[in-house]
Amino acid sequence: MINDLWYKNAIIYCLSVSTYMDADGDGIGDFRGLMNRLDYLQGLGVTAIWLMPFQPSPLRDDGYDVADYYGVDPRYGTLGDFVEFTHGCKQRGIRVLIDLVVNHTSDKHPWFQDARSDPKSQHRDWYVWAKKKPKHADDGVVFPGVQKSTWSYDKLAKAWYFHRFYDFQPDLNTSNPRVQAEILKIMGFWIQLGVSGFRMDAVPFVIAKKGAHVSRPTEQYDMLRTFREFLSWRKGDAIVLAEANVQPKTDLEYFGASGERMQMMFNFAVNQHLFYALATGDSRPLTKAIKATKTTEATAQWGQFLRNHDELDLGRLTTRQRQTVFAAFAPDPNMQLYGRGIRRRLAPMLQGDRRRLELSYSIMMSLPGTPVLRYGDEIGMGDSLHLPERNCARTPMQWSTEPQGGFTKNKKPTLPVISGGAYGFEHVNVAQQRRDPNSLMNWMERMIRTRKEAPEIGWGQFSILQTRTPEVLAIRYDWRNNSVLVVHNFSATPREVRLELGAENSGCLVNLLSRENSDPDASGQHCLILEPYGYRWFRIGGLDYILKRSVT
Ligand code: NOJ
């Protein structure tokens, strides 16, 4: 296969325009500000931006409550600014993925306003209604503790409407062919304005059958093929990155047995077990998750991540495992959310321990798939736990020691910039780290570069090597006659492991990050000594690998 699948070796960086950079001084980030930071992003080495919702919205769920799918919220700029932005990205070789939030609209969306106004209205059947409160109304809430029900009564409509998420997010009746056609139109619109695809919100719910009589949602997977086909007709290399926190046995339904559905999915299973490994040192459940989510089609790719804009959802761990992760990283109930997750950023979870931060990003960037970084993680930003729900990890980017961290000239930023203490902008900011050769940010830049030069990880076949040490995970990648080996020690103490690489491409190991080589002993094994939380990225067989790279 030719290397056209750009997402197989991409570095994705997710950000929200509202908290990245404010150019007009109103305290809210905007596209002009973001454009001024594209050189920074290019320098960091990211190759794609996942841009969170920026459409007009009452902002009751950080923009995931869209009130107009074809516009830009005036607080962030205009459609003209958006096109300048996608153009600026293209000039720098950066692709743009935007959120596609079509499971639901805002209750302020004109479609919903029309739908509720009259049973005969054009948009009535764009939503999901019931005359009486459905039996299962209190089941399946996504935000327990904050959201009470999935059905609410609308006085004007004199009917109950379905909302998988908050009550101000009425679900679209996605089985309705007219709604489906509109979803395609929305995709077509943004594709025309220069995006390379979509991070599709809440995919299992988008494709679920909805209604008062549905007690267990059934997915209509073929809808995914329709989205994919449409996208490919409009723009051959556009992709969908699906948010679908599902069991590994269902992954194939989302990718499609012959890769005809979603190109990418976030790997929630690996994410949760990775945190378990970080909390306990035991990498065996992580190994299981990596194996269970092995993809079979070359077009299918995982998005590997550590933290994002939501809580770290640990719902797929066993109760014991979840409690162990809570105890390690979120002992205070205020750090936990919805009974299943942690709402903190990574750096404070790891108490700012540089060794563990490096270990975490190193493993994330070398897992089978494409890394997805969260803005601010490159400098080790912290969180504000006094902010409600998930807002604690959505504070403005910290650029410098200027007032408001250089994010805005306004004294009142959209969310308070973290100030004072170990994670305040006075200590943690881009400008200072840029000038410090040993900063986390410069380390990250180097790792991104190393990751891009190891396409074996994004493209290749992986195998997990036996280390006989639960704390040490060793993954080998093979692609086009080239091989890479990554080794991570999750333990707080040093570990010695003996590795057998197998017959092919064996020989010496060359460390890609420091001057270190390893030669096999007489029995063909490599003996590696890893320091506490140590990690290694090796090329197998030496540095003349490019000369050996084959075309298929
Ligand atoms: C998933 C998004 O990641 C989350 O932030 C949002 O609240 C829900 N979908 C509802 O759109």
Side-chain angles (χ1 to χ4, degrees):
M1 185 177 292
I2 298 184
N3 300 17
D4 270 358
L5 312 183
W6 61 268
Y7 57 94
K8 299 269 314 191
N9 204 39
I11 309 287
I12 304 177
Y13 182 95
C14 101
L15 67 90
S16 168
V17 66
S18 65
T19 50
Y20 208 60
M21 185 71 215
D22 172 28
D24 65 8
D26 65 355
I28 304 169
D30 44 44
F31 279 105
R32 277 209 298 123
L34 173 54
M35 258 182 295
N36 289 335
R37 293 297 186 185
L38 290 183
D39 294 321
Y40 165 76
L41 290 171
Q42 188 186 25
L44 189 62
V46 307
T47 62
I49 293 173
W50 152 26
L51 193 63
M52 331 218 50
F54 54 83
Q55 289 85 355
S57 162
L59 294 184
R60 294 184 66 191
D61 183 16
D62 209 27
Y64 285 92
D65 44 338
V66 177
D68 171 10
Y69 288 99
Y70 300 100
V72 168
D73 193 297
R75 287 167 278 201
Y76 310 142
T78 63
L79 271 180
D81 293 330
F82 182 81
V83 171
E84 284 302 294
F85 159 71
T86 54
H87 176 70
C89 288
K90 191 171 173 201
Q91 277 184 317
R92 291 168 179 83
I94 299 175
R95 292 179 183 261
V96 179
L97 302 174
I98 64 169
D99 249 290
L100 181 67
V101 190
V102 290
N103 174 64
H104 47 269
T105 66
S106 156
D107 58 353
K108 297 289 175 292
H109 196 295
W111 299 339
F112 188 67
Q113 291 303 324
D114 180 43
R116 63 197 283 257
S117 67
D118 183 347
K120 294 207 176 62
S121 86
Q122 237 208 92
H123 294 100
R124 185 69 162 205
D125 61 357
W126 283 40
Y127 292 87
V128 186
W129 300 99
K131 285 209 177 97
K132 284 201 224 129
K133 184 174 181 178
K135 260 213 259 124
H136 306 284
D138 298 335
D139 294 353
V141 297
V142 176
F143 303 122
V146 187
Q147 177 194 359
K148 287 204 181 67
S149 162
T150 51
W151 288 85
S152 292
Y153 186 70
D154 184 76
K155 278 194 194 137
L156 187 62
K158 296 194 184 63
W160 294 79
Y161 65 93
F162 176 63
H163 52 89
R164 171 60 65 191
F165 298 95
Y166 298 108
D167 59 0
F168 53 82
Q169 291 168 319
D171 266 46
L172 280 164
N173 176 10
T174 43
S175 300
N176 180 338
R178 287 198 297 144
V179 172
Q180 291 180 6
E182 190 74 28
I183 294 176
L184 299 186
K185 201 199 245 183
I186 296 165
M187 289 173 135
F189 178 81
W190 292 105
I191 284 290
Q192 209 69 27
L193 298 189
V195 309
S196 291
F198 303 91
R199 177 260 187 199
M200 196 169 191
D201 192 59
V203 179
F205 301 134
V206 173
I207 62 173
K209 279 200 181 131
K210 310 176 186 188
H213 304 296
V214 180
S215 52
R216 284 198 64 231
T218 342
E219 288 83 5
Q220 309 161 92
Y221 293 112
D222 220 39
M223 276 170 71
L224 301 176
R225 190 174 53 88
T226 318
F227 298 148
R228 163 69 174 271
E229 277 178 357
F230 174 82
L231 257 194
S232 306
W233 279 109
R234 289 289 168 99
K235 193 169 194 272
D237 59 355
I239 65 155
V240 177
L241 164 54
E243 187 217 12
N245 184 350
V246 294
Q247 297 281 8
K249 61 178 189 301
T250 347
D251 295 340
L252 204 62
E253 301 285 5
Y254 286 83
F255 286 129
S258 44
E260 77 282 12
R261 294 179 184 161
M262 309 283 85
Q263 291 92 341
M264 286 191 77
M265 282 172 81
F266 288 107
N267 199 327
F268 284 95
V270 162
N271 174 261
Q272 307 191 14
H273 290 97
L274 171 52
F275 274 93
Y276 180 76
L278 291 169
T280 60
D282 182 358
S283 69
R284 287 169 299 185
L286 172 61
T287 303
K288 257 197 194 162
I290 296 172
K291 287 184 176 164
T293 55
K294 189 166 193 159
T295 55
T296 45
E297 283 303 305
T299 50
Q301 182 76 333
W302 288 113
Q304 302 286 8
F305 65 104
L306 284 163
R307 290 288 292 112
N308 61 22
H309 64 297
D310 288 328
E311 81 285 7
L312 162 63
D313 186 343
L314 300 171
R316 302 221 176 265
L317 299 184
T318 63
T319 309
R320 189 194 56 79
Q321 287 174 329
R322 189 166 42 253
Q323 290 311 327
T324 309
V325 182
F326 278 157
F329 296 141
D332 183 329
N334 185 36
M335 298 166 172
Q336 303 170 11
L337 197 58
Y338 311 135
R340 60 163 183 250
I342 299 180
R343 63 191 195 115
R344 309 177 81 188
R345 277 227 189 212
L346 184 74
M349 270 196 245
L350 301 179
Q351 290 165 331
D353 183 340
R354 177 69 181 262
R355 297 168 310 166
R356 301 181 84 186
L357 283 168
E358 288 191 15
L359 173 80
S360 309
Y361 290 113
S362 170
I363 178 77
M364 187 266 264
M365 285 204 241
S366 61
L367 284 167
T370 292
V372 185
L373 289 162
R374 171 114 173 104
Y375 83 90
D377 274 10
E378 70 273 30
I379 52 171
M381 261 174 64
D383 45 47
S384 288
L385 289 173
H386 56 273
L387 295 175
E389 284 185 75
R390 292 159 290 161
N391 276 0
C392 61
R394 297 173 176 175
T395 59
M397 181 67 177
Q398 296 170 197
W399 293 106
S400 67
T401 52
E402 307 288 308
Q404 311 305 336
F407 159 69
T408 178
K409 281 200 178 135
N410 198 294
K411 289 204 178 80
K412 276 198 117 206
T414 174
L415 281 179
V417 179
I418 297 177
S419 171
Y423 299 96
F425 69 88
E426 301 87 347
H427 294 293
V428 177
N429 65 69
V430 170
Q432 280 184 348
Q433 294 203 18
R434 189 75 189 81
R435 289 173 291 188
D436 171 3
N438 296 318
S439 67
L440 181 65
M441 190 181 109
N442 279 320
W443 175 87
M444 192 75 81
E445 184 186 319
R446 204 158 57 244
M447 287 306 283
I448 290 176
R449 179 183 186 154
T450 309
R451 172 62 183 76
K452 288 201 283 198
E453 289 174 358
E456 293 82 358
I457 299 173
W459 279 93
Q461 290 295 324
F462 73 84
S463 41
I464 310 260
L465 303 188
Q466 287 278 350
T467 65
R468 287 176 194 85
T469 310
E471 295 86 1
V472 180
L473 175 60
I475 314 179
R476 173 184 171 139
Y477 291 93
D478 295 287
W479 182 67
R480 298 194 173 174
N481 205 30
N482 285 170
S483 306
V484 162
L485 170 68
V486 290
V487 189
H488 290 86
N489 175 17
F490 288 89
S491 165
T493 51
R495 285 288 180 277
E496 182 177 326
V497 289
R498 303 189 74 79
L499 291 177
E500 222 161 287
L501 299 183
E504 268 184 56
N505 283 338
S506 51
C508 71
L509 295 176
V510 181
N511 191 324
L512 294 176
L513 299 165
S514 71
R515 285 182 190 220
E516 180 198 27
N517 288 354
S518 163
D519 288 310
D521 62 17
S523 66
Q525 291 189 333
H526 287 267
C527 176
L528 301 179
I529 299 171
L530 295 149
E531 47 298 334
Y533 306 119
Y535 57 93
R536 299 283 187 281
W537 290 41
F538 291 115
R539 272 212 168 271
I540 303 178
L543 292 180
D544 62 345
Y545 61 101
I546 293 287
L547 297 171
K548 297 181 189 150
R549 189 172 282 173
S550 58
V551 282
T552 54

